[in-house]
Amino acid sequence: MTEIKRIAVFCGSSTGTGEVFMKSAALLGQEMVRRKIKLVYGGGSVGLMGQIAKTVAEGLGEDAVLGVITEDLAPREISGAPHGEVKVVPDMHTRKAVMAQNADAFVALPGGYGTLEEVMEMITWQQLGIHAKPVGFLNVNGLYTKLLSFFDDIVSAGFVSAPRRAIAQSDTDAAALIDKLIAYQAPDNIIKLAKEGKLDQARG
Amino acid sequence: MTEIKRIAVFCGSSTGTGEVFMKSAALLGQEMVRRKIKLVYGGGSVGLMGQIAKTVAEGLGEDAVLGVITEDLAPREISGAPHGEVKVVPDMHTRKAVMAQNADAFVALPGGYGTLEEVMEMITWQQLGIHAKPVGFLNVNGLYTKLLSFFDDIVSAGFVSAPRRAIAQSDTDAAALIDKLIAYQAPDNIIKLAKEGKLDQARG
Ligand SMILES: [Mg+2]
C-alpha cells in the first residue's frame, strides 16, 4: 500500500492526432482532483502536459501543480502563463530527479520517445533500489499495448525477472490505474535500498 | 555518413533463455572486429555484456574495449577479470554520458528494462540535439519487433514526427545494421545543435 499525495505525470507536449488523447489527460486530472492528489509534471503549457496541469489547477488550485522544466525546453514548451509553480532546472537529469523526489507515484499518459524514456528511467531506478514508488501506464486507445507486450517478451526471453515485470503497472482506466498504484508493493529488497536515500544521490 | 570507430553497445547482463541471444552478441562483436570498430559498453563480465567484450577483446585486443560501470553495479556485474579498461563512475547518469562521449554510434542488443532505458536516453538526447550519432536496435529473434511497431504507433498517434522515427534504426543482421548506422544522417538542426557541444554539458 502506497499513500499517494502527488503523482508525477509523464506525457507528450503535443495533443496527439485523436481527441481521445487530450481527453485522457483531462480524465486522469479529474480523477486526481476527486482524490485530492497533486501533480508534478514536465512544466509545459501545450498538448497533454497543458491539459493535465489545467485540470488539476482548476480542481485543486494552482498550489497543487508543480512544473519542472529545463532552461532549454522552457521557450519551446511554455506558451502563455503556465499553471502552478514552475521550477526551471539546468538539465533533463535534474528534471527527472526533482520530479521523482516530489512524487509518490509515476504515471505515463500517451507521449513520444521522451515520455517512454522518462518512465523507463523511473522503472530502472526502482530496479536499482533508488526508489520504491509505483509506476503505471495509462493505456489510452491501446497505445501502450505493444510496449506492454514487449515487456512480457523480455521476461520470457530471460532479461527481466518475472517479479520485476510488476514494476510496470497498467490500465485503460485512470481510476483503476490509481487503485493499482496504491495497492502496489515493491519487493522488500528494493524498499530496503530505497530507504537508504538513494534518490537524493540520484539527483547528483 | 558517419565514420564509426567505436560503438556503444547496450545489452543485458544475463544470457537470456535462448542460445540465439548470446550468439547475437558474438556475431555483432565479430562484425565489429571485421571492421576494426572498438567497443564501449556497460563494463559487466556476465551475460551478453561479457560476450560482446570478450569477442571484441579477442579480435582487436584489450585496448579496443572500454567498460563503464557504476560503483554500485561493479560487484553485481563483474565476476572474474573483465576485458579491456574499466572505468568506475559514481552513478548511472555519468555512465550513460561517458559511454555517449566515447562512441560514434549506439547499438541495442537484447536486454531488459535497463537496456531499453539506455537506448531511449540516446534517442531522446538526439531529439534534443545533445548528439547527432546514429542509434540502432539489433532485432534478434524478433525481440524488438513489438517495440519498433510501438514506435510506428506513436508516430501515427502524433507524438513523434515522421522524420524523427528514423532516429531509431533497426535490422535483424549485425552487418546490415552497421551499414544503416554509417548511412544515417541526423536532421540538419540536430547536427547544428550537437556541434555546440551539448554532450559535454549532459555529462554534468
Ligand atoms: Mg533515461
Side-chain angles (χ1 to χ4, degrees), chain B residues 14-36:
Chain B
S14 55
T15 59
T17 51
E19 277 176 27
V20 66
F21 298 120
M22 286 294 271
K23 199 177 162 195
S24 73
L27 288 172
L28 174 63
Q30 285 157 18
E31 187 58 31
M32 290 168 67
V33 168
R34 203 177 67 76
R35 299 181 191 230
K36 297 194 170 47

Side-chain angles (χ1 to χ4, degrees), chain A residues 93 96 116-122 124-125, chain B residues 93 96 116-122 124-125:
Chain A
H93 178 68
K96 281 176 281 195
L116 178 59
E117 190 279 322
E118 289 169 314
V119 68
M120 288 315 303
E121 186 114 20
M122 296 309 124
T124 306
W125 286 3
Chain B
H93 178 66
K96 280 176 281 195
L116 178 58
E117 191 279 321
E118 289 169 316
V119 68
M120 288 315 303
E121 186 114 22
M122 296 310 124
T124 307
W125 285 3

Side-chain angles (χ1 to χ4, degrees), chain A residues 68-138:
Chain A
V68 186
I69 198 160
T70 63
E71 289 160 15
D72 279 10
L73 288 180
R76 217 189 295 178
E77 296 189 351
I78 300 180
S79 66
H83 286 283
E85 182 194 347
V86 177
K87 208 180 270 240
V88 180
V89 294
D91 55 52
M92 300 300 280
H93 178 68
T94 310
R95 186 196 215 183
K96 281 176 281 195
V98 170
M99 287 178 71
Q101 283 173 315
N102 281 281
D104 307 303
F106 308 100
V107 170
L109 280 171
Y113 292 142
T115 298
L116 178 59
E117 190 279 322
E118 289 169 314
V119 68
M120 288 315 303
E121 186 114 20
M122 296 309 124
I123 288 171
T124 306
W125 286 3
Q126 181 171 147
Q127 266 198 319
L128 294 169
I130 291 173
H131 71 77
K133 301 173 181 186
V135 184
F137 291 83
L138 189 61

